[in-house]
Amino acid sequence: MCGERVPERHAHLVDIEQRSIDCACTACGLLFTRPGGRYRTVPDRVRHDPDAPLTGVEWAELGIPVGIAFFFVNSALGHVVASYPSPAGVTECELDLAGWDRLAAAHPLLRAPSPDVEAILIVAGSPRLAGGA
Ligand SMILES: [Zn+2]
């Protein structure tokens, strides 16, 4: 953003309008921690809920054609967006929003991310999770 060289461990900014993410120096990262502008700093918190994995059935209901996807609230659209890797790059897919709401009622951590700057990463098919995700 300002042209300052960033260290190996550094902040990231989301451009809400362009839907892109860039590296930022510490000072620039501190400038955009509050909502309301074009840029937002990505928080560095990580939450994990290994005691309540999604079941195989719950994962299947999301209709994601691969075994890994991330979900975030797009404030411009006003709802959750699902994306997953594909040979053509990151692909967005239509998400059954009512299905997502049912899932979030059973797994409250799905409601925890801050809009635009945090995401839920779900990995399905891990041998440790016995068919869950
Ligand atoms: Zn900077």
Side-chain angles (χ1 to χ4, degrees):
M1 176 151 281
C2 68
E4 181 74 25
R5 189 171 181 85
V6 296
E8 184 174 316
R9 185 169 172 80
H10 53 267
H12 293 93
L13 294 178
V14 171
D15 181 332
I16 305 294
E17 293 176 9
Q18 297 293 318
R19 296 183 60 187
S20 63
I21 187 168
D22 284 307
C23 300
C25 74
T26 302
C28 287
L30 291 171
L31 286 176
F32 301 100
T33 55
R34 283 185 256 163
R38 177 176 172 179
Y39 299 99
R40 291 274 319 277
T41 302
V42 176
D44 59 0
R45 71 177 179 158
V46 174
R47 294 180 176 182
H48 184 223
D49 192 2
D51 296 330
L54 273 63
T55 65
V57 170
E58 289 172 326
W59 172 252
E61 286 176 352
L62 290 174
I64 306 295
V66 295
I68 186 170
F70 66 93
F71 305 82
F72 71 97
V73 174
N74 180 321
S75 62
L77 298 175
H79 62 77
V80 174
V81 172
S83 300
Y84 58 86
S86 77
V90 176
T91 300
E92 272 187 24
C93 67
E94 290 286 323
L95 184 63
D96 173 1
L97 296 175
W100 178 262
D101 287 344
R102 285 191 301 274
L103 206 56
H107 301 275
L109 194 57
L110 298 180
R111 293 190 186 140
S114 298
D116 301 310
V117 294
E118 291 184 311
I120 296 285
L121 174 67
I122 301 178
V123 180
S126 168
R128 291 183 302 131
L129 299 174

